[in-house]
Amino acid sequence: MSGSAARDGATRVAAAALLRAAARGEPAGVPHLVVQEAGVPPRRVALGGELTVGRGPVAALRLADGGVSRLHARFRVEPDGAVTVEDLGSKNGVRRGGRPLGRGPCALAPGDAVVVGETTLVLADPLAPTGEVAEVGAGELAAGAELAAAAEVAAPAPAPAPARLLGAAAGLLALSGLLLALAG
């Protein structure tokens, strides 16, 4: 397959994923976390800019987990789309792939599982079809795809059709700009 044909195929796959996200009422192409907290159904949380996690009132994502500090960790989406996580000096630490994070921000890839206290947060690929999360280490999460699929049940009701179409159009525009930049 030629480079041009491969790019066209990748473009079609990405465009279809953006449209599926829009049809589900999710922001198109926005990374999100699948949150698995004990005793609570899995849920998806969109990442935009910065998201702090903890059990205190100042945390943007509040968890009812006694092993989580009041302000435990920070997820950040960088301008280039990369996602990082940082331990904010928590008592019990933050683990990725079963290992404690070092100092400073740590880059994440889709499918990476981050554990705070007894809660697992999986970075979901914003372009993956529903239920697809890259394979996760066995010690972190039994089945990333099962968790993502279960979170789909708890997803909010879809947005009205015009909002979904605008989200898909914006995602496609961003994707075409990226592809043009890569091709140029």
Side-chain angles (χ1 to χ4, degrees), residues 18-35:
L18 289 169
L19 290 171
R20 278 192 300 275
R24 290 191 307 266
E26 296 175 359
V30 174
H32 54 275
L33 295 174
V34 177
V35 181

Side-chain angles (χ1 to χ4, degrees), residues 122-135:
V122 178
L123 179 63
D125 183 345
L127 298 179
T130 302
E132 284 188 21
V133 176
E135 187 175 323

Side-chain angles (χ1 to χ4, degrees), residues 58-107:
V58 297
L61 174 59
R62 291 182 65 187
L63 303 173
D65 181 336
V68 173
S69 297
R70 282 174 265 176
L71 197 56
H72 200 105
R74 174 179 30 238
F75 289 85
R76 183 174 290 162
V77 179
E78 303 296 336
D80 65 357
V83 177
T84 62
V85 64
E86 181 177 5
D87 188 337
L88 297 176
S90 64
K91 180 179 178 184
N92 294 324
V94 176
R95 296 183 312 276
R96 182 183 124 232
R99 297 181 182 189
L101 291 185
R103 295 183 189 258
C106 174

Side-chain angles (χ1 to χ4, degrees), residues 1 16 28-29 38 43 50 52 64 73 88 90 98 113 135 158 161 177 182:
M1 178 181 295
R43 58 189 165 148
E50 183 175 297
T52 54
L88 297 176
S90 64
E135 187 175 323
L182 291 173

